[in-house]
Amino acid sequence: MIGIKILKPRTGLIPTSQRRITIALGLALAIALKRIGDFEIIEARAWKGAPDTAYVNGEKVDIELGRHVDIDIINNIAREFRSKKWDGITVTLNGELGKAKLGIDIDMYANEYVPERAGIINEGLEVLAEPRGYIGDEVIDSFYKLFDVEYEKMRAVIEELIAEIHYVELKVATYTGVRTYPLWRVTARVNAIHNYSFAPENAIPLWYKPWIRQITRDLYRLPPPGLGKLVGLHGMRRIIKDVASGLRKYLERYYIVTLRPDENAIRLIPRASSPSTQNHRNAIAGLKNILTEAMREAASKGAQRIIQEKGYIDWQEYIETLEEELRQRLT
């Protein structure tokens, strides 16, 4: 699966505008797949409740894929979304990506809560693409797996997707007025997901924005919860911001890293290996060990030193101690 999460601006998004962004992201992914593979739209259906109902009582929607995302199509579908109170649209593609013969369903949800309520995945997101097919006798059921069997094609698909979200601009209504946003600016996360799970080892981080916040969210889940709570998510984000340079160098061992400082974003593609997803799993396993060791050292010797000096745990000093422990282990 490929999961895409919207980044809402601080001024918020009117629901219709959020749906327009969702549709644009779903179609951008479809266009990227069509550019690199040989795909055509079989059908598009709107549905209520869950995507499984699309083929029973869903309503057909006219969608054509052009060279780029068509703003008029987005506007028309968004109006239908609102007037008919759809919960989502599923676009079904059929074709080939390299040697893989695939059918792909791209679900675009009315809001991030729909897939959770439908029991599809345990975290909110706006777009979810699921392949099903085969290469010879090997079953293909995730884009995560496609990174192993069609690495160059998958790398090209992600590059085209990122290029498309940099090409498309949308006018969106926020709670403080109308704004024009390039699509990349409102794209928080793009992950290749395995087993419907956002656990870090099962979710390759292909695009993160703002990247410090998004990657901190993943890293915070790696060490034992008791150790993580001592520093808290806010403290963890502060530490990751300070050790960002060392973290990026660590990531470069396992991924092709493209940092976009002016966009506060990062693109990560697992380095080619056999299999390439092993690089991702190795990176996550290494970070889990590094974080756990650093937190244990800070929680034992570091905390003991602070108490001896001050008679109590000073949170600021504890954060600085953990930061130094982490910095040493990342080099």
Side-chain angles (χ1 to χ4, degrees):
M1 285 66 69
I2 285 180
I4 305 178
K5 176 70 180 169
I6 287 177
L7 176 65
K8 296 179 183 177
R10 294 181 184 275
T11 51
L13 283 174
I14 301 298
T16 299
S17 289
Q18 182 173 338
R19 289 190 284 270
R20 291 176 71 244
I21 293 169
T22 297
I23 297 162
L25 287 169
L27 295 184
L29 177 56
I31 287 169
L33 286 162
K34 185 178 179 182
R35 285 177 186 165
I36 302 304
D38 181 15
F39 288 98
E40 61 179 6
I41 290 183
I42 300 301
E43 64 177 343
R45 284 182 173 269
W47 42 268
K48 295 180 180 180
D52 292 345
T53 66
Y55 300 101
V56 179
N57 54 13
E59 182 176 341
K60 285 190 176 182
V61 180
D62 291 329
I63 294 179
E64 294 183 3
L65 297 180
R67 287 176 53 84
H68 295 287
V69 172
D70 189 317
I71 303 301
D72 290 334
I73 289 177
I74 291 172
N75 292 338
N76 291 337
I77 296 174
R79 283 193 290 268
E80 293 282 286
F81 245 120
R82 180 180 180 181
S83 63
K84 298 184 179 181
K85 298 182 179 180
W86 293 334
D87 285 320
I89 293 176
T90 298
V91 174
T92 301
L93 307 179
N94 192 60
E96 299 178 359
L97 185 65
K99 297 178 182 178
K101 299 183 184 299
L102 301 169
I104 300 174
D105 287 337
I106 302 176
D107 294 337
M108 296 168 277
Y109 305 116
N111 57 63
E112 67 268 36
Y113 307 111
V114 172
E116 289 186 276
R117 289 199 305 263
I120 298 169
I121 201 163
N122 60 359
E123 292 196 27
L125 48 75
E126 283 79 13
V127 178
L128 182 66
E130 302 180 66
R132 59 195 181 281
Y134 56 89
I135 296 178
D137 295 330
E138 185 175 5
V139 174
I140 304 297
D141 57 5
S142 73
F143 287 103
Y144 187 100
K145 189 171 185 178
L146 276 169
F147 265 105
D148 289 338
V149 295
E150 282 291 350
Y151 175 80
E152 292 298 335
K153 292 292 185 181
M154 278 304 303
R155 177 179 172 180
V157 167
I158 299 307
E159 289 173 348
E160 287 295 330
L161 172 60
I162 301 305
E164 186 66 13
I165 67 175
H166 279 77
Y167 177 84
V168 178
E169 290 188 346
L170 289 177
K171 284 187 177 180
V172 298
T174 72
Y175 289 102
T176 59
V178 176
R179 303 284 187 272
T180 299
Y181 288 137
L183 203 50
W184 64 262
R185 191 171 175 181
V186 286
T187 305
R189 301 167 68 95
V190 180
N191 293 91
I193 306 166
H194 181 57
N195 288 338
Y196 294 91
S197 170
F198 271 99
E201 64 273 15
N202 290 330
I204 301 173
L206 302 170
W207 166 271
Y208 276 1
K209 173 184 166 55
W211 78 274
I212 295 292
R213 184 200 305 174
Q214 300 297 341
I215 210 162
T216 298
R217 181 174 174 269
D218 289 345
L219 297 181
Y220 188 69
R221 301 167 69 173
L222 292 177
L227 290 173
K229 288 179 181 178
L230 289 174
V231 62
L233 184 59
H234 175 74
M236 187 72 168
R237 187 182 304 144
R238 177 176 163 183
I239 291 171
I240 296 303
K241 182 178 180 180
D242 289 342
V243 302
S245 177
L247 177 60
R248 188 185 69 185
K249 290 178 181 177
Y250 173 89
L251 293 173
E252 287 173 346
R253 303 176 202 169
Y254 303 96
Y255 305 92
I256 300 168
V257 178
T258 304
L259 186 64
R260 298 173 179 260
D262 55 327
E263 299 173 5
N264 196 14
I266 196 169
R267 191 196 73 189
L268 300 171
I269 302 288
R271 290 192 178 277
S273 63
S274 184
S276 64
T277 54
Q278 188 62 49
N279 267 328
H280 168 67
R281 291 189 290 273
N282 289 344
I284 296 301
L287 285 169
K288 182 176 182 178
N289 289 335
I290 288 170
L291 284 165
T292 301
E293 290 174 3
M295 286 182 173
R296 282 177 176 164
E297 189 71 14
S300 55
K301 294 180 181 179
Q304 187 177 25
R305 176 185 57 78
I306 295 170
I307 291 172
Q308 288 174 346
E309 292 176 357
K310 295 195 170 185
Y312 60 91
I313 286 288
D314 182 273
W315 189 77
Q316 171 68 27
E317 194 163 339
Y318 180 78
I319 292 294
E320 292 173 356
T321 300
L322 177 54
E323 179 181 319
E324 184 57 32
E325 293 290 342
L326 187 56
R327 192 189 305 276
Q328 291 176 11
R329 287 167 172 79
L330 283 172
T331 56

